[in-house]
Structures are given as C-alpha cells and as structure tokens.
Amino acid sequence: MARKWWTLLAACLATFMLLLDVTVVNVALPDIRHELGGTFTDMQWVVDAYALGLATLLLPSGSLADLLGRRLVFVTGIVIFVMASFVCGLAGSPTVLNIARGVQGLGGAMMFATALALIAQEFAPNERGTAIGLWGATTGFAVAVGPVVGGVITEHLGWEWIFFVNVPVGLATVAMTLMRVPEGERDTSARIDWGGLVTFAGALFCLVLALIRGNDEGWGSALIVGLLAASALLMAAFIVNELRIEAPMLDLKLFRIPAFTGAQITAFVLHGTMFAMFLYLVIYIQSILGYSPLEAGVRFLPISVLSFVVAPVAGKLVERLPVRAFLGGGLVLVGSGLLLMSGIDPGDDWTTLLPGFIVSGIGIGCVNPPLATAAIGVVEPRRSGAASGINATFRQVGIATGIAALGALFQAKVTDELTSSLANAHLPPGATDRLGEAVVSGGTQSAIQAAPPGAHQAVAVAAQRAFIDGLNEILIVAAVVAFIGGVLAFALVRSRDFVARQMAAA
C-alpha cells in the first residue's frame, strides 16, 4: 500500500479513537458514578475535563507541530492519550478519573491538530478532497456509533473497557505511524504563544468551575465571584495578548469577517445545546426510565443515524445553496427538536423523546458539513488550518460551558422543586440539598437511598417529578439558545465573505 494511504489510515484511526471518547463516555456515566461513588459535579467533569483539554491545546498544537515536526507531535499525542486512557480505566476515584480525562484531552488535541496536516502533506492538491472526505466520514461515523459502542462495552465488559480499548488501538497506530508515515518539513521560525495558552486555559477553567460549583457554594459567595472575576480578567488579558503579538494563537482579526464569526457562533451553539444535553438525556433514560447502558445507547440511534445520513446530502447541496441556509436552518431544527423533547411527564417512556431526536438529528446533519465549509472558506487557503483549529476549539468550548451552565440550571431547578414538594415532610436540616444532589446524579433510586427513614415514598414521587421538571427547563433553555444561534448564523454568514466568491467576482 502506498505511503499516503498509510498516513490516511493512521490519521483516521487516531481521529476515530479521540472523537469516540467524546460520545462513548456518556452512556457509561451512571455506572461510573455508581462504582466510584461520584457526585453530579464529578459526572460533569468526566466530560468537561476532556473537552477543556481538547480546547486548550488544539491551537498551540499546530505551532508545536510546525516547530518540532508533525509526525513527532502526532505520535506524542497518541502516546499521551493511550497512557491517560489506561489510567482512566484503573481509576479508583472520581478525582483520578477526571485528572486523567484532562490529560487524555491534551493528547487528543495534539492528535487532532496534526491529523489533517499529515494528510495534506502526503496527498497532492487534486487528491486531498477524496482523502479529507474519507477522514470526515470517519469523524461522522465515530460520533454516530459512540453511544451504541459505549453501551455494548459498558454492559458486557464494564465501563473501564471504554478506556482500555484505546490502548491496543493507540499502540498499533503509533507503530504504523513510525514505520510508514514520513516526517514533514519543520518551520524553525514557528513560535508557541505561551501567554495566550496560559490565559485562555485559565479563563476557561475558572468559568467552567464557577458554573459547576455555583449552586453548592452560592452564587454570591467569595469563591464563585472570585472565579468569575478571574475568568473575565484572564480573558481580557488573553485578548490583549493576541492583539499585541506578531503570531497569536487565535488571530482575532479573523473575527472582522462576519461569516467567520457566524461559523464560530454556530459551532459553539450546536455543541453547547444539543451535544451538552446528551449528558442529561442519558441520566434520564438510564436513571429515571431504568434502561441499561446498551438500551440507552440504542435509543440515541435516531439522532446518530440521521445526522450521519443527512450530512453528505447537505455537503453536496451546499455547493448550490447558501451556506447560511444550512447553518441557520439546521440550528432552528435543533432548537425545534429540543422543544419537542420538552414537556415530559412522569408516566412517559423514551418514545416521548423520539420526535425531537428525529428533528434534531436532521438539524445536526444539516449543520456539520456546511459548518466546515464556512469555517475555512472565508480565509485564504494558507490559513485554512488555523481557521479549522479555531472552529474545533469553539466546538469543545461549547460542550464544556454548555454542560456546566445547563447543569447549574438543572441542579437549581431540581433542588427548588424538592424543597417545594417536601415542605411538609419534616425532613432534617440539609436533607433537601442532599436529596437534590442524589436526584441529579443518580435519579429516583439514589434519592430513595438518601431519603430519611419513613420518607421513602414521598421522596420517590417528589424526586421523579423534580428531575423531569429540571430536564424540561433546560431543554427549553437549550432550544432558545439554538434559535438565537440560528438567527445569528443566518444574519452573519454572507456568501460574499467567501474567498472563492470573491475570486470569482474579481
């Protein structure tokens, strides 16, 4: 087999592995919480630590690859990812798991940032379209099969194996890369934006931590106010740094192009609403409705399959129709799907979510390929790598902040509903807060186990109602955000901003 096909295979394997870990973990979270004794906050961090690791190092990894060599950074990323995956599988506490997940994200960022660059260096310009298309199909397939793969592994092997399975695949990819993939040219003039890296990572971490801890600590507490202030100050420092230096990690001048800004808003909103909601929908299906991990994964197939099937159709049609019609219309479909999922009643089964799953899956498929076109189509070809990295970063930032923000609303709503429902139950001081934590992390059964003696029946009824009310609320909030994102995408993504259109006009 020709060298270029080995390169494509290595890039696809690594990308499949790292993207699978974005979705595969969701259906395993209830089992992880039960075995490790984690809280609702711990469950959020299992996803957010990985997303933050990816978001933090995606942009600097491109410069690092130019400086040290793409193959070296790619292989180093895989090794870090594999080692962290092994630690995740061995983790005996939520803290160890979440730290390892963060390191996993850092390795994943190094892999993701260099995979396309390796493909581009091995394929001639007239062949890159096919190669990148196959790589893109791999990313879509990873997202599509993630919930089912996670369900099968968790149910039959245990949640640890969703991490252990990365070890042989990763090591095989490392061996293949070292034997078959050549090293590219290095750019000794490349520089890493350390100031941007530190301030960006610090701002994101402080924001997400404040959102996750806000309900427990109190939104007016010194800790939360301090974290939010630190996030704002660090983000301001990041912006100043990026405007001042010659080779910034994030070129803020690109945001002067309305279509580029619209693409980043679309990426952030899609992942901060629909993809962030997966965590809470999984908890509902498994902990409230009582489905197993595999059964839960299968029930997400309508979203996964439809998004996978619709994506190539949208990719073809975007050549003839305006990109903003797909981005704006797709987000409106996602918002409509989230609204259709809301209105859940205690007696409903999972099928009440099915219409929303179908509409949302179509919406996701409409957005993804045109979003890639918008992300890189408004910059010169030489800057397409940087533009793609920025868009991928906004996707991960959307997931991290979406999970944290929706979780804060969800936890507050559940606690308020429990307080109201159990006002006459004469519970001990602090019992409602403990029950609220049990409900949001483990559903009705966890609430019953945490209930004081003699209050099990009242707690069971109140817990189910509170969880469903909280879920309905964040579904509506996410839908509203998706609608706003759709309007902004339609307004900002203009055909005249695209480089190809400008060249044709000239």
Side-chain angles (χ1 to χ4, degrees), residues 128-276:
R128 284 177 193 161
T130 301
I132 292 174
L134 291 171
W135 179 79
T138 302
T139 65
F141 183 67
V143 174
V145 303
V148 177
V149 171
V152 171
I153 293 175
T154 302
E155 193 160 322
H156 295 289
L157 298 175
W159 65 266
E160 299 90 347
W161 282 93
I162 65 176
F163 301 112
F164 286 149
V165 75
N166 293 328
V167 176
V169 176
L171 293 178
T173 306
V174 167
M176 183 193 309
T177 304
L178 293 176
M179 290 189 295
R180 299 292 184 178
V181 178
E183 182 59 274
E185 295 182 2
R186 300 180 185 181
D187 180 6
T188 55
S189 65
R191 294 292 180 268
I192 299 172
D193 179 10
W194 292 108
L197 172 61
V198 171
T199 52
F200 183 70
L204 280 183
F205 179 78
C206 289
L207 175 61
V208 171
L209 181 59
L211 291 173
I212 288 178
R213 296 297 303 165
N215 284 313
D216 293 331
E217 301 291 338
W219 291 101
S221 66
L223 174 62
I224 301 304
V225 172
L227 285 170
L228 292 174
S231 177
L233 289 172
L234 286 167
M235 186 55 68
F238 171 72
I239 293 171
V240 170
N241 180 80
E242 300 306 279
L243 292 173
R244 182 180 58 83
I245 66 174
E246 184 178 345
M249 183 177 88
L250 175 62
D251 188 355
L252 297 176
K253 295 184 180 67
L254 291 174
F255 288 89
R256 296 174 182 173
I257 307 170
F260 184 82
T261 302
Q264 312 323 313
I265 291 173
T266 301
F268 179 88
V269 168
L270 177 64
H271 288 73
T273 56
M274 191 64 242
F275 287 100

Side-chain angles (χ1 to χ4, degrees), residues 11-24 112 131-149 270-271 275 278 300-312 361 364-365 367-369 372 395:
C12 288
L13 278 174
T15 303
F16 180 82
M17 187 168 56
L18 76 92
L19 289 180
L20 194 67
D21 264 42
V22 175
T23 55
V24 76
F112 196 61
I132 292 174
L134 291 171
W135 179 79
T138 302
T139 65
F141 183 67
V143 174
V145 303
V148 177
V149 171
L270 177 64
H271 288 73
F275 287 100
F278 283 172
F300 278 94
L301 278 177
I303 294 181
S304 303
V305 171
L306 279 170
S307 64
F308 185 64
V309 170
V310 172
I364 294 169
V367 169
N368 272 331
R395 292 172 187 259

Side-chain angles (χ1 to χ4, degrees), residues 3 43 64 108 159 162 169 192 224 250 272 344 356 370 382 406 436 444 496:
R3 189 178 66 184
M43 294 175 70
L64 191 65
W159 65 266
I162 65 176
V169 176
I192 299 172
I224 301 304
L250 175 62
I344 303 169
R382 65 183 177 83
L406 291 174
T444 307
R496 63 178 179 270

